Amino acid sequence: MLDWKEEKLDEPETEPAAQNSDETFYCEAEASVAGEKEKPGGESSETDLEIEDTEKLFTTGQRELYLEACKLVGVVPVSYFIRNMEESYMNLNHHGLGPSGTKAIAIALVSNTSIVTLELADNCIMEEGTLSLVQMLQENYYLQDLNISNNDLGLKGASTISEFLQRNTSSLLNLQLSGNNFKDEAAELFCQAFSANYRIKTLDLSHNEFSDKGGEHLGQMLALNIGLQSLDLSWNHFHTRGAVALCNGLRANVTLQKLDLSMNGFGNEGATALGEVLRLNNSLVYIDISSNDISNEGVIKISKGLEFNESLKVLKLFLNPVSMDGATLLILSIKRNPKSKMEEIDISNVLVSEQFVKILDGVCAIHPQLDVTYKAVQGFSAKKELLLWTNPMKLIQSYADQHQITVIDFFKSLNPNGRMMMSVGDFRKAMIQQDKVPMNPYQVRELIKKLAEKTGMVNFSCWCLGGALRIMKPGGIKNCGLCYGSIKTAKFSPDDFNVSLA
């Protein structure tokens, strides 16, 4: 292990303790005044992130500490990092940090209490930079989200991360490891790590090189893990054997809610295994199996599982060779399940008929929260399409004007508790069932696109009468895009918002 104490510029060991900060670098985190902090699992009390003078850590500012670190490792300081050290979000993607630049960042973050999210994608940090980061994470209890995607970490980087995760001691909740050239040997290491780790909630392993053997390891991990809520395994190389192994792991898993398996090669046998999972699983809410070479044969098996499933809300099947017959089986399986919570089915490459639309209307009468995205309807004229896409926001505005109410009042009337936010499913159901402003599913979908947030909630608190509303938030300006007229800006808080005219 590297010892940063030995990297000082020819300083004698016997030099007096009182020294100028420009000449000496201190890099120990949380060295206790009363005694050393206890390390888990018999770990050595020294790491590469230790300093020699506790008092110095608290008298040296964050900026000065980072500049000293850069001087020590011989890199040019990153001005963006210096300017934003007190913000909660730090984006250093594509900065060309390399191992040494990452090391300097890690030194500065040991004692940082502001940064919660750290983005370090595409920085060529390699094994040495990874080691610096995990040593920092052993001392920093504020960082929760870490993105080190596209850094070609390989097997050595996976080993370092695995050893760190098995300690289960950091505050890290979300970890992105996409595009790091991880192969099946790395999957075995992650199996060991996540079989013991229960703190990580979101894990991104997409765009790697896992094959069926890796699927077997990750399947074992899913069977044992009790912490993960979201897992992204898209753009790997899972085929039948790997798909079946992953599904076997899902049978025993009770915490995973979101799973992305798109751009793999499950095929119909993998779809059959997934159908069995859906029959039994009551925790999965979101599954993406787009582009997995699943045909109608596989969709039949998935549909049988959906007839019994009571938790799934989103199913994405885009870019699979599914015909209208398979699509019809899917929506009929929802109709047969009175306890289905399905809100969204994506078959947006499937061309359907008007007969399919009629069947879907019947399903939506029972499950008004359901929205099915398909390519187009055969034989629909351009005029008919235009009628379906009449601007829903103008319809609501017109209704509000006619009844001398505000648009906000209209939306609040949809929510039983009168709040300004609703889940997408509840909002879709309320809009379909209300009769004040009749809308078809196309118009409701367009409305949701304008109002929905990434959290899966619809927020209509930003609607104003007239104007291109812009919400002023700490992270910048967000265009609302809902309104019409001359209003240009608005300041928004949870309690109220003030609109200023141009």
mmCIF file of all heavy atoms in Angstrom, residues 416-449:
data_model
loop_
_atom_site.group_PDB
_atom_site.id
_atom_site.type_symbol
_atom_site.label_atom_id
_atom_site.label_comp_id
_atom_site.label_asym_id
_atom_site.label_seq_id
_atom_site.Cartn_x
_atom_site.Cartn_y
_atom_site.Cartn_z
ATOM 1 N N PRO A 416 -57.376 13.488 -4.076
ATOM 2 C CA PRO A 416 -58.230 13.450 -2.881
ATOM 3 C C PRO A 416 -57.672 14.237 -1.704
ATOM 4 O O PRO A 416 -58.431 14.804 -0.917
ATOM 5 C CB PRO A 416 -58.304 11.952 -2.546
ATOM 6 C CG PRO A 416 -58.040 11.258 -3.840
ATOM 7 C CD PRO A 416 -57.064 12.132 -4.573
ATOM 8 N N ASN A 417 -56.333 14.292 -1.581
ATOM 9 C CA ASN A 417 -55.760 15.022 -0.450
ATOM 10 C C ASN A 417 -55.435 16.471 -0.802
ATOM 11 O O ASN A 417 -54.912 17.211 0.040
ATOM 12 C CB ASN A 417 -54.503 14.313 0.076
ATOM 13 C CG ASN A 417 -53.437 14.141 -0.994
ATOM 14 O OD1 ASN A 417 -53.365 14.923 -1.939
ATOM 15 N ND2 ASN A 417 -52.609 13.116 -0.855
ATOM 16 N N GLY A 418 -55.742 16.887 -2.033
ATOM 17 C CA GLY A 418 -55.562 18.275 -2.420
ATOM 18 C C GLY A 418 -54.129 18.712 -2.607
ATOM 19 O O GLY A 418 -53.866 19.909 -2.756
ATOM 20 N N ARG A 419 -53.194 17.789 -2.631
ATOM 21 C CA ARG A 419 -51.785 18.149 -2.776
ATOM 22 C C ARG A 419 -51.433 18.413 -4.236
ATOM 23 O O ARG A 419 -52.183 18.093 -5.141
ATOM 24 C CB ARG A 419 -50.903 17.045 -2.203
ATOM 25 C CG ARG A 419 -51.050 16.889 -0.687
ATOM 26 C CD ARG A 419 -50.159 15.783 -0.158
ATOM 27 N NE ARG A 419 -50.323 15.617 1.281
ATOM 28 C CZ ARG A 419 -49.742 14.653 1.984
ATOM 29 N NH1 ARG A 419 -48.967 13.768 1.386
ATOM 30 N NH2 ARG A 419 -49.945 14.572 3.287
ATOM 31 N N MET A 420 -50.222 18.960 -4.422
ATOM 32 C CA MET A 420 -49.790 19.372 -5.752
ATOM 33 C C MET A 420 -49.007 18.292 -6.489
ATOM 34 O O MET A 420 -48.520 18.528 -7.586
ATOM 35 C CB MET A 420 -48.918 20.633 -5.636
ATOM 36 C CG MET A 420 -49.528 21.732 -4.792
ATOM 37 S SD MET A 420 -51.018 22.402 -5.549
ATOM 38 C CE MET A 420 -50.302 23.646 -6.597
ATOM 39 N N MET A 421 -48.868 17.132 -5.898
ATOM 40 C CA MET A 421 -48.130 16.053 -6.538
ATOM 41 C C MET A 421 -48.915 14.750 -6.437
ATOM 42 O O MET A 421 -49.592 14.496 -5.434
ATOM 43 C CB MET A 421 -46.748 15.874 -5.900
ATOM 44 C CG MET A 421 -45.822 17.057 -6.096
ATOM 45 S SD MET A 421 -44.154 16.754 -5.473
ATOM 46 C CE MET A 421 -43.546 15.596 -6.693
ATOM 47 N N MET A 422 -48.812 13.923 -7.494
ATOM 48 C CA MET A 422 -49.442 12.613 -7.523
ATOM 49 C C MET A 422 -48.502 11.648 -8.247
ATOM 50 O O MET A 422 -47.681 12.075 -9.060
ATOM 51 C CB MET A 422 -50.777 12.653 -8.274
ATOM 52 C CG MET A 422 -51.816 13.584 -7.715
ATOM 53 S SD MET A 422 -53.282 13.709 -8.800
ATOM 54 C CE MET A 422 -53.981 12.067 -8.643
ATOM 55 N N SER A 423 -48.644 10.375 -7.974
ATOM 56 C CA SER A 423 -47.886 9.397 -8.739
ATOM 57 C C SER A 423 -48.416 9.388 -10.168
ATOM 58 O O SER A 423 -49.570 9.764 -10.420
ATOM 59 C CB SER A 423 -48.011 8.012 -8.124
ATOM 60 O OG SER A 423 -49.315 7.492 -8.322
ATOM 61 N N VAL A 424 -47.572 8.966 -11.110
ATOM 62 C CA VAL A 424 -47.982 8.946 -12.516
ATOM 63 C C VAL A 424 -49.220 8.080 -12.705
ATOM 64 O O VAL A 424 -50.164 8.456 -13.406
ATOM 65 C CB VAL A 424 -46.815 8.436 -13.400
ATOM 66 C CG1 VAL A 424 -47.309 8.143 -14.814
ATOM 67 C CG2 VAL A 424 -45.700 9.456 -13.446
ATOM 68 N N GLY A 425 -49.225 6.905 -12.071
ATOM 69 C CA GLY A 425 -50.368 6.010 -12.212
ATOM 70 C C GLY A 425 -51.653 6.613 -11.681
ATOM 71 O O GLY A 425 -52.708 6.527 -12.324
ATOM 72 N N ASP A 426 -51.593 7.237 -10.498
ATOM 73 C CA ASP A 426 -52.786 7.855 -9.908
ATOM 74 C C ASP A 426 -53.274 9.028 -10.750
ATOM 75 O O ASP A 426 -54.485 9.229 -10.920
ATOM 76 C CB ASP A 426 -52.488 8.327 -8.482
ATOM 77 C CG ASP A 426 -52.344 7.170 -7.504
ATOM 78 O OD1 ASP A 426 -52.794 6.064 -7.846
ATOM 79 O OD2 ASP A 426 -51.773 7.374 -6.417
ATOM 80 N N PHE A 427 -52.325 9.794 -11.290
ATOM 81 C CA PHE A 427 -52.699 10.943 -12.120
ATOM 82 C C PHE A 427 -53.360 10.470 -13.410
ATOM 83 O O PHE A 427 -54.393 11.013 -13.830
ATOM 84 C CB PHE A 427 -51.469 11.782 -12.433
ATOM 85 C CG PHE A 427 -51.756 12.989 -13.280
ATOM 86 C CD1 PHE A 427 -52.332 14.113 -12.723
ATOM 87 C CD2 PHE A 427 -51.465 12.994 -14.636
ATOM 88 C CE1 PHE A 427 -52.602 15.234 -13.497
ATOM 89 C CE2 PHE A 427 -51.732 14.101 -15.422
ATOM 90 C CZ PHE A 427 -52.298 15.227 -14.851
ATOM 91 N N ARG A 428 -52.781 9.445 -14.043
ATOM 92 C CA ARG A 428 -53.371 8.927 -15.278
ATOM 93 C C ARG A 428 -54.788 8.404 -15.012
ATOM 94 O O ARG A 428 -55.718 8.661 -15.782
ATOM 95 C CB ARG A 428 -52.496 7.822 -15.855
ATOM 96 C CG ARG A 428 -53.026 7.267 -17.176
ATOM 97 C CD ARG A 428 -52.164 6.140 -17.709
ATOM 98 N NE ARG A 428 -50.875 6.618 -18.176
ATOM 99 C CZ ARG A 428 -49.719 6.323 -17.604
ATOM 100 N NH1 ARG A 428 -49.700 5.534 -16.523
ATOM 101 N NH2 ARG A 428 -48.597 6.784 -18.079
ATOM 102 N N LYS A 429 -54.942 7.680 -13.929
ATOM 103 C CA LYS A 429 -56.256 7.127 -13.562
ATOM 104 C C LYS A 429 -57.259 8.247 -13.319
ATOM 105 O O LYS A 429 -58.412 8.182 -13.795
ATOM 106 C CB LYS A 429 -56.108 6.265 -12.309
ATOM 107 C CG LYS A 429 -57.381 5.583 -11.854
ATOM 108 C CD LYS A 429 -57.101 4.685 -10.653
ATOM 109 C CE LYS A 429 -58.364 3.981 -10.185
ATOM 110 N NZ LYS A 429 -58.083 3.092 -9.025
ATOM 111 N N ALA A 430 -56.841 9.288 -12.608
ATOM 112 C CA ALA A 430 -57.741 10.406 -12.302
ATOM 113 C C ALA A 430 -58.144 11.150 -13.572
ATOM 114 O O ALA A 430 -59.305 11.545 -13.739
ATOM 115 C CB ALA A 430 -57.070 11.358 -11.314
ATOM 116 N N MET A 431 -57.181 11.341 -14.492
ATOM 117 C CA MET A 431 -57.482 12.077 -15.721
ATOM 118 C C MET A 431 -58.424 11.280 -16.618
ATOM 119 O O MET A 431 -59.312 11.850 -17.271
ATOM 120 C CB MET A 431 -56.193 12.384 -16.479
ATOM 121 C CG MET A 431 -55.373 13.509 -15.879
ATOM 122 S SD MET A 431 -56.246 15.095 -15.788
ATOM 123 C CE MET A 431 -56.679 15.364 -17.513
ATOM 124 N N ILE A 432 -58.250 9.975 -16.689
ATOM 125 C CA ILE A 432 -59.118 9.149 -17.526
ATOM 126 C C ILE A 432 -60.536 9.102 -16.949
ATOM 127 O O ILE A 432 -61.535 9.133 -17.689
ATOM 128 C CB ILE A 432 -58.550 7.721 -17.653
ATOM 129 C CG1 ILE A 432 -57.232 7.737 -18.452
ATOM 130 C CG2 ILE A 432 -59.556 6.783 -18.285
ATOM 131 C CD1 ILE A 432 -57.383 8.115 -19.905
ATOM 132 N N GLN A 433 -60.642 9.055 -15.633
ATOM 133 C CA GLN A 433 -61.957 8.899 -14.992
ATOM 134 C C GLN A 433 -62.720 10.207 -14.846
ATOM 135 O O GLN A 433 -63.950 10.190 -14.763
ATOM 136 C CB GLN A 433 -61.784 8.237 -13.625
ATOM 137 C CG GLN A 433 -61.341 6.779 -13.704
ATOM 138 C CD GLN A 433 -61.202 6.123 -12.338
ATOM 139 O OE1 GLN A 433 -60.919 6.801 -11.346
ATOM 140 N NE2 GLN A 433 -61.386 4.821 -12.284
ATOM 141 N N GLN A 434 -62.025 11.363 -14.811
ATOM 142 C CA GLN A 434 -62.732 12.632 -14.648
ATOM 143 C C GLN A 434 -63.500 12.963 -15.934
ATOM 144 O O GLN A 434 -63.106 12.584 -17.032
ATOM 145 C CB GLN A 434 -61.749 13.752 -14.268
ATOM 146 C CG GLN A 434 -60.632 14.011 -15.270
ATOM 147 C CD GLN A 434 -61.013 14.944 -16.395
ATOM 148 O OE1 GLN A 434 -61.845 15.843 -16.222
ATOM 149 N NE2 GLN A 434 -60.414 14.739 -17.563
ATOM 150 N N ASP A 435 -64.613 13.684 -15.810
ATOM 151 C CA ASP A 435 -65.443 14.009 -16.970
ATOM 152 C C ASP A 435 -65.529 15.504 -17.250
ATOM 153 O O ASP A 435 -66.287 15.940 -18.117
ATOM 154 C CB ASP A 435 -66.856 13.440 -16.789
ATOM 155 C CG ASP A 435 -67.519 13.910 -15.494
ATOM 156 O OD1 ASP A 435 -66.927 14.764 -14.802
ATOM 157 O OD2 ASP A 435 -68.621 13.414 -15.174
ATOM 158 N N LYS A 436 -64.739 16.289 -16.532
ATOM 159 C CA LYS A 436 -64.763 17.743 -16.747
ATOM 160 C C LYS A 436 -64.092 18.112 -18.065
ATOM 161 O O LYS A 436 -64.589 18.935 -18.830
ATOM 162 C CB LYS A 436 -64.068 18.455 -15.587
ATOM 163 C CG LYS A 436 -64.751 18.250 -14.241
ATOM 164 C CD LYS A 436 -63.951 18.896 -13.128
ATOM 165 C CE LYS A 436 -64.618 18.654 -11.778
ATOM 166 N NZ LYS A 436 -63.800 19.201 -10.653
ATOM 167 N N VAL A 437 -62.923 17.497 -18.319
ATOM 168 C CA VAL A 437 -62.185 17.723 -19.563
ATOM 169 C C VAL A 437 -61.869 16.348 -20.154
ATOM 170 O O VAL A 437 -60.794 15.799 -19.919
ATOM 171 C CB VAL A 437 -60.886 18.524 -19.331
ATOM 172 C CG1 VAL A 437 -60.225 18.863 -20.660
ATOM 173 C CG2 VAL A 437 -61.161 19.788 -18.538
ATOM 174 N N PRO A 438 -62.795 15.755 -20.891
ATOM 175 C CA PRO A 438 -62.575 14.405 -21.430
ATOM 176 C C PRO A 438 -61.312 14.347 -22.299
ATOM 177 O O PRO A 438 -61.076 15.208 -23.145
ATOM 178 C CB PRO A 438 -63.838 14.160 -22.273
ATOM 179 C CG PRO A 438 -64.877 15.057 -21.686
ATOM 180 C CD PRO A 438 -64.126 16.281 -21.243
ATOM 181 N N MET A 439 -60.504 13.319 -22.031
ATOM 182 C CA MET A 439 -59.261 13.133 -22.784
ATOM 183 C C MET A 439 -59.066 11.672 -23.128
ATOM 184 O O MET A 439 -59.485 10.789 -22.380
ATOM 185 C CB MET A 439 -58.052 13.628 -21.969
ATOM 186 C CG MET A 439 -57.964 15.115 -21.803
ATOM 187 S SD MET A 439 -56.381 15.594 -21.073
ATOM 188 C CE MET A 439 -56.640 17.348 -20.894
ATOM 189 N N ASN A 440 -58.409 11.437 -24.255
ATOM 190 C CA ASN A 440 -58.049 10.072 -24.620
ATOM 191 C C ASN A 440 -56.653 9.752 -24.079
ATOM 192 O O ASN A 440 -55.930 10.655 -23.621
ATOM 193 C CB ASN A 440 -58.107 9.888 -26.146
ATOM 194 C CG ASN A 440 -57.170 10.841 -26.874
ATOM 195 O OD1 ASN A 440 -55.981 10.931 -26.567
ATOM 196 N ND2 ASN A 440 -57.703 11.569 -27.854
ATOM 197 N N PRO A 441 -56.252 8.494 -24.111
ATOM 198 C CA PRO A 441 -54.944 8.114 -23.555
ATOM 199 C C PRO A 441 -53.764 8.848 -24.180
ATOM 200 O O PRO A 441 -52.762 9.100 -23.505
ATOM 201 C CB PRO A 441 -54.864 6.612 -23.848
ATOM 202 C CG PRO A 441 -56.292 6.168 -23.896
ATOM 203 C CD PRO A 441 -57.030 7.313 -24.518
ATOM 204 N N TYR A 442 -53.877 9.222 -25.470
ATOM 205 C CA TYR A 442 -52.788 9.942 -26.131
ATOM 206 C C TYR A 442 -52.575 11.311 -25.478
ATOM 207 O O TYR A 442 -51.444 11.740 -25.236
ATOM 208 C CB TYR A 442 -53.109 10.142 -27.618
ATOM 209 C CG TYR A 442 -53.406 8.871 -28.373
ATOM 210 C CD1 TYR A 442 -54.707 8.398 -28.473
ATOM 211 C CD2 TYR A 442 -52.382 8.162 -28.989
ATOM 212 C CE1 TYR A 442 -54.984 7.237 -29.173
ATOM 213 C CE2 TYR A 442 -52.651 7.004 -29.694
ATOM 214 C CZ TYR A 442 -53.950 6.537 -29.774
ATOM 215 O OH TYR A 442 -54.227 5.379 -30.462
ATOM 216 N N GLN A 443 -53.676 11.998 -25.215
ATOM 217 C CA GLN A 443 -53.582 13.329 -24.616
ATOM 218 C C GLN A 443 -53.086 13.258 -23.178
ATOM 219 O O GLN A 443 -52.297 14.098 -22.743
ATOM 220 C CB GLN A 443 -54.951 14.016 -24.690
ATOM 221 C CG GLN A 443 -55.386 14.324 -26.111
ATOM 222 C CD GLN A 443 -56.854 14.698 -26.195
ATOM 223 O OE1 GLN A 443 -57.709 14.038 -25.592
ATOM 224 N NE2 GLN A 443 -57.160 15.753 -26.934
ATOM 225 N N VAL A 444 -53.543 12.259 -22.432
ATOM 226 C CA VAL A 444 -53.075 12.102 -21.057
ATOM 227 C C VAL A 444 -51.586 11.812 -21.034
ATOM 228 O O VAL A 444 -50.845 12.342 -20.201
ATOM 229 C CB VAL A 444 -53.860 10.971 -20.349
ATOM 230 C CG1 VAL A 444 -53.291 10.712 -18.962
ATOM 231 C CG2 VAL A 444 -55.338 11.319 -20.256
ATOM 232 N N ARG A 445 -51.112 10.985 -21.977
ATOM 233 C CA ARG A 445 -49.679 10.686 -22.056
ATOM 234 C C ARG A 445 -48.869 11.954 -22.333
ATOM 235 O O ARG A 445 -47.821 12.183 -21.736
ATOM 236 C CB ARG A 445 -49.432 9.667 -23.164
ATOM 237 C CG ARG A 445 -47.987 9.191 -23.255
ATOM 238 C CD ARG A 445 -47.788 8.287 -24.456
ATOM 239 N NE ARG A 445 -48.735 7.190 -24.447
ATOM 240 C CZ ARG A 445 -49.184 6.586 -25.538
ATOM 241 N NH1 ARG A 445 -48.804 7.004 -26.727
ATOM 242 N NH2 ARG A 445 -50.023 5.576 -25.441
ATOM 243 N N GLU A 446 -49.384 12.811 -23.231
ATOM 244 C CA GLU A 446 -48.697 14.066 -23.528
ATOM 245 C C GLU A 446 -48.655 14.974 -22.299
ATOM 246 O O GLU A 446 -47.651 15.628 -22.029
ATOM 247 C CB GLU A 446 -49.423 14.776 -24.677
ATOM 248 C CG GLU A 446 -48.770 16.065 -25.142
ATOM 249 C CD GLU A 446 -47.439 15.848 -25.834
ATOM 250 O OE1 GLU A 446 -47.139 14.694 -26.212
ATOM 251 O OE2 GLU A 446 -46.697 16.833 -25.978
ATOM 252 N N LEU A 447 -49.737 14.993 -21.557
ATOM 253 C CA LEU A 447 -49.795 15.809 -20.344
ATOM 254 C C LEU A 447 -48.784 15.326 -19.316
ATOM 255 O O LEU A 447 -48.103 16.129 -18.665
ATOM 256 C CB LEU A 447 -51.217 15.739 -19.777
ATOM 257 C CG LEU A 447 -51.644 16.787 -18.753
ATOM 258 C CD1 LEU A 447 -51.534 18.178 -19.346
ATOM 259 C CD2 LEU A 447 -53.062 16.510 -18.296
ATOM 260 N N ILE A 448 -48.673 14.023 -19.174
ATOM 261 C CA ILE A 448 -47.722 13.445 -18.213
ATOM 262 C C ILE A 448 -46.285 13.772 -18.605
ATOM 263 O O ILE A 448 -45.439 14.036 -17.752
ATOM 264 C CB ILE A 448 -47.947 11.922 -18.095
ATOM 265 C CG1 ILE A 448 -49.256 11.652 -17.351
ATOM 266 C CG2 ILE A 448 -46.786 11.252 -17.353
ATOM 267 C CD1 ILE A 448 -49.678 10.202 -17.358
ATOM 268 N N LYS A 449 -45.995 13.769 -19.904
ATOM 269 C CA LYS A 449 -44.651 14.124 -20.364
ATOM 270 C C LYS A 449 -44.276 15.530 -19.902
ATOM 271 O O LYS A 449 -43.123 15.793 -19.571
ATOM 272 C CB LYS A 449 -44.578 14.061 -21.893
ATOM 273 C CG LYS A 449 -44.511 12.662 -22.464
ATOM 274 C CD LYS A 449 -44.420 12.722 -23.985
ATOM 275 C CE LYS A 449 -44.397 11.329 -24.591
ATOM 276 N NZ LYS A 449 -44.347 11.387 -26.079
#
